[in-house]
Amino acid sequence: MAGVQTAVALREKGYEGPVTLIGAEPHPPYDRPPLSKAILLGTADGSAFDIDFEALSVRLRLGVEVTGLRPDAREVDTEAGPVPYGVLVLATGAEPVGLPGAVSVPGVHLLRTLDDAEALRPVLGRRDRIVVVGAGWIGAEFTTAARAAGCAVTVVEAADRPLPGALSAEVAAPMARWYAESGAALLTGVRVAGVEPGAVLLADGRRLPADAVVVGIGVRPSTDWLTGSGIALGPDGAIVADERLATSLPDVYAVGDCASFPSARYGERLLVHHWDNALQGPRTVAAQAVGESEQIYDPVPYFWSEQFGRFVQYAGHHMAEDTLVWRGDPADAAWSVVWLRDGALRALLAVGRPRDLTQGRKLMETGARLDRARAADPAVPLRKTVL
């Protein structure tokens, strides 16, 4: 998404120079969200972008892995030879974290690429017994698809709740019940000790039968290939970009899952591993390439997830010390929560309440302060809670 949208945005901005898009995968560029939904269930054959690259004069070099960057020569190294650049945009994304000791065990899967999804389709088709390691966003979406296909699913999460990296225990508690409603078993507070053919071994001694294991324990920026290039990386492995998504090297930019950026809006550096970031960031990079240097990148982060028959949306960025306000009963089909700091709306989670999300996102962009009591009334539109 980030690389493709950068190429498109360059042309939309009037950039007339040659544009080359290099990707390690052999497939035409594709969108990732359907991989955990329609592609898995076989209701779609692919998710290639409907973009005429030839008409845009964008050269695609597919199945070519970039192995290094030499800024002094202004070249990237690939297995097919060096490629010179005038402006370089790094959009290498993130790669899934594997389960230690399980990478080579038969039947263990990751879900990040089209090939991953294609490998999992027959697993769902056979209605295999599946153990999912990790109750994050990918774990929830895959479990949803697997249950829809009729598979028996057990989800193992080391933390005491689903979505531990994103939500507090209070907010995640009602979401834990969704697993049982779907017919999946959710085991929290237990770690995986090992994986062997046909089973997952838990640290508490239990042995879970498994025809297949799907690992969804997080991702990390795909930046190992930049070792020795001189480009600045953060402790999280992300490329350290500035407010215009420029890196520490001249004429080199970074966008999407592989890069962090400073947010004046939230007062800290953000690393956002979501689709909307890969859609919005390229517009800023394209603006820099054509000389519109006044444009900075400081969005209200946004993402969504379709899981267990629910449409879950989140916008903003909250901290543990922010004030949590419920809008509606989480036992109902639709509810939301907002996080306030000194009255200002900082973040919002909406379950089946898209209007809350749309209005809340706009209020965050303007820095609006809300009346807490009115914000707690789900019958009051968020835009009418502004002080």
Side-chain angles (χ1 to χ4, degrees), residues 23-28 30 32 61-65 112-115:
E25 292 185 69
H27 312 289
Y30 60 87
R32 293 191 190 278
R61 297 193 61 183
L62 305 177
V64 177
E65 183 175 358
R112 181 70 178 179
T113 68
L114 180 58
D115 289 340

Side-chain angles (χ1 to χ4, degrees), residues 1-7 9-10 13 89-91 241-246 253-257 259 261 272 274-289 295-299 361:
M1 168 62 81
V4 166
Q5 291 300 323
T6 299
L10 283 166
K13 283 287 186 181
V89 180
L90 306 178
D242 67 11
E243 68 278 4
R244 292 176 175 81
L245 299 181
Y253 298 87
V255 65
D257 292 2
F261 58 90
V272 180
H274 294 295
W275 185 91
D276 192 65
N277 180 49
L279 173 68
Q280 303 293 341
R283 298 169 185 170
T284 298
V285 171
Q288 311 309 312
Q295 183 168 327
I296 64 171
Y297 190 62
D298 195 4
R361 195 175 182 184

Side-chain angles (χ1 to χ4, degrees), residues 224-249:
D224 288 349
W225 66 279
L226 289 167
T227 300
S229 69
I231 201 165
L233 301 178
D236 52 11
I239 299 166
V240 178
D242 67 11
E243 68 278 4
R244 292 176 175 81
L245 299 181
T247 73
S248 58
L249 298 178

